[in-house]
Amino acid sequence: MARKMVWAALSVLVASVWGYPLSLCDYRVPETSLLDMDLSLTYHYRDDPSQPGVEINLGKATFTYTQLYNAPSQGFSIDAKAVLGARGFELVDALLESSATYRFYFATEEPFFFFGGAEGSWRPTYVNPWFQVTLGLGYGRFNDVTPLAKAMLISEDLLRIGAIPASLSEDALLAVAQEIGRRAEYERLEDLVAKVEEIIETDTGVDLDARAVLRIEERITETGRERYCGGAIQAGLGYELLNPRGGDREVVLSASANWALAPEPRSQLLLRGDLSAPMPWANAYTARLGFTYDYELNGRTSFRADYSLEWVKEAEVERSYDSHDAVFQLNLNLGGWKIAFTLSFSKGPGDVAWTQEFVISAAIDLR
């Protein structure tokens, strides 16, 4: 089953990159500002009258916060996650983790930067919370391509409902994207919609009806479908201010790489990796790899695949172990609420087979 799901996801990815001569990742804006914040809830209850007691009474709440800002001279990123798991009214699992990075670019036209960051986490099994600060150098930038993605989707929508005879030209798409990117400069949304309508009518030579104008407005105001491109690699030295095992605080060599690609307006691919090792080198390290792929099937349905691998090498006991997590999720957007059907696979250290789980959950966007 896991293999079939992976091949299905890859097939969608390959198919999605065709048909767009204008590349989203060639689009540039002077400032990128992205924010995503979600709350998801799951609950599983089972009471078989033929058995004593309640067999299953489990619930989980997950909160995630992601913010990315990039300007010619500086940028920052913030990631936070909180997971609470309960059995009945008893808390049985908890995870709190967050990281923040500030980047200062040496020149406004160059991608070289100096960075400072902090990250931490906490679990009930920790002796202390873990907290580390890091300083170093890096290369790269991220760029918000959401305005052009929305312009392409507007062209798709209008062509599908027969409002325009052919797709918008590249010049018209870029002009629409430019106006959408200037949304904050418009006092009224109606003025922005009217400007986009004017560009489209000039390019196609047709008059748009009320239904077409409504589709334009819906795409402009749509949230939760941000697209961005670019990447960054960075390396530096970190220092543990708090050690989760209660041991000595360590100087740590830290390196990471992140890459974002929007193959076309309905999809987003994210790749990430990081490596940390205590100094001086003692043949011990922690490495993490992961990817996320999101694809919008239509205005109310989307598919998401996540995979992460953690590989830990311990010097004291001269052993290594790895853990895997894969999640495939089908999302339905119903009146602001997001209903998710989730199939997950996990394999921890020492496990001989994958653990499989199917969950139906409800989430609401807090923005």
Side-chain angles (χ1 to χ4, degrees):
M1 174 64 77
R3 184 176 299 176
K4 291 181 179 179
M5 293 292 288
V6 171
W7 277 112
L10 292 175
S11 299
V12 171
L13 171 61
V14 172
S16 67
V17 300
W18 295 338
Y20 286 91
L22 181 62
S23 172
L24 280 170
C25 290
D26 290 336
Y27 181 73
R28 294 289 184 272
V29 292
E31 183 177 293
T32 292
S33 182
L34 299 171
L35 174 64
D36 187 41
M37 182 167 54
D38 290 287
L39 173 66
S40 66
L41 306 170
T42 62
Y43 181 69
H44 188 187
Y45 179 87
R46 180 181 178 183
D47 184 6
D48 186 345
S50 65
Q51 302 293 329
V54 177
E55 289 77 35
I56 301 175
N57 187 11
L58 301 174
K60 178 183 286 187
T62 302
F63 173 79
T64 59
Y65 178 94
T66 302
Q67 186 173 6
L68 173 66
Y69 176 80
N70 199 90
S73 61
Q74 61 183 334
F76 68 85
S77 58
I78 301 173
D79 292 281
K81 182 178 182 180
V83 180
L84 299 177
R87 180 182 294 111
F89 294 100
E90 178 186 359
L91 183 68
V92 294
D93 186 27
L95 168 65
L96 301 176
E97 58 183 15
S98 63
S99 64
T101 301
Y102 174 79
R103 297 178 296 276
F104 175 78
Y105 290 92
F106 295 113
T108 58
E109 301 299 325
E110 297 294 334
F112 294 98
F113 61 85
F114 165 82
F115 78 90
E119 55 186 322
S121 64
W122 174 83
R123 282 186 179 273
T125 55
Y126 287 178
V127 176
N128 297 311
W130 174 68
F131 187 73
Q132 176 179 302
V133 294
T134 307
L135 298 174
L137 300 173
Y139 177 92
R141 290 181 185 270
F142 290 97
N143 194 50
D144 183 11
V145 300
T146 307
L148 182 55
K150 289 188 174 183
M152 289 179 172
L153 291 173
I154 287 172
S155 178
E156 278 189 13
D157 293 341
L158 298 184
L159 185 63
R160 184 173 58 253
I161 66 176
I164 57 177
S167 299
L168 298 179
S169 66
E170 290 191 6
D171 290 340
L173 288 173
L174 291 172
V176 170
Q178 181 180 10
E179 297 305 320
I180 294 176
R182 296 175 53 235
R183 179 180 176 182
E185 301 177 18
Y186 284 86
E187 294 183 1
R188 301 189 310 160
L189 175 62
E190 294 83 356
D191 296 334
L192 171 56
V193 174
K195 181 61 177 179
V196 171
E197 179 185 359
E198 176 187 340
I199 295 172
I200 295 174
E201 291 180 342
T202 301
D203 184 65
T204 60
V206 301
D207 294 328
L208 300 179
D209 58 20
R211 183 174 62 154
V213 174
L214 178 61
R215 290 300 299 144
I216 293 173
E217 181 177 338
E218 289 175 347
R219 281 298 183 185
I220 291 176
T221 57
E222 185 179 41
T223 60
R225 290 285 182 264
E226 289 76 17
R227 304 297 181 218
Y228 58 104
C229 293
I233 56 173
Q234 59 188 46
L237 290 178
Y239 182 70
E240 284 186 328
L241 298 179
L242 292 172
N243 187 299
R245 298 178 298 276
D248 296 334
R249 291 175 290 184
E250 301 174 324
V251 175
V252 177
L253 174 65
S254 178
S256 65
N258 293 271
W259 182 58
L261 173 66
E264 49 86 49
R266 296 184 182 277
S267 61
Q268 178 78 68
L269 175 65
L270 306 175
L271 301 174
R272 57 195 178 275
D274 65 78
L275 174 69
S276 62
M279 301 299 290
W281 173 254
N283 197 28
Y285 56 85
T286 299
R288 301 180 184 89
L289 296 173
F291 84 85
T292 298
Y293 179 68
D294 181 84
Y295 183 76
E296 178 189 350
L297 300 172
N298 55 52
R300 293 183 177 273
T301 309
S302 65
F303 171 79
R304 180 185 177 98
D306 290 276
Y307 172 76
S308 61
L309 163 66
E310 183 179 55
W311 193 5
V312 179
K313 175 69 166 61
E314 296 180 345
E316 296 85 353
V317 293
E318 296 185 352
R319 68 173 184 177
S320 62
Y321 58 87
D322 57 85
S323 59
H324 307 256
D325 286 286
V327 180
F328 305 93
Q329 189 172 72
L330 182 67
N331 297 291
L332 306 178
N333 194 338
L334 304 174
W337 281 90
K338 299 176 183 177
I339 309 301
F341 300 88
T342 306
L343 180 63
S344 62
F345 302 86
S346 62
K347 187 177 181 183
D351 291 348
V352 296
W354 290 79
T355 299
Q356 305 178 34
E357 184 179 15
F358 178 72
V359 175
I360 299 176
S361 62
I364 188 170
D365 194 331
L366 299 178
R367 286 182 299 168

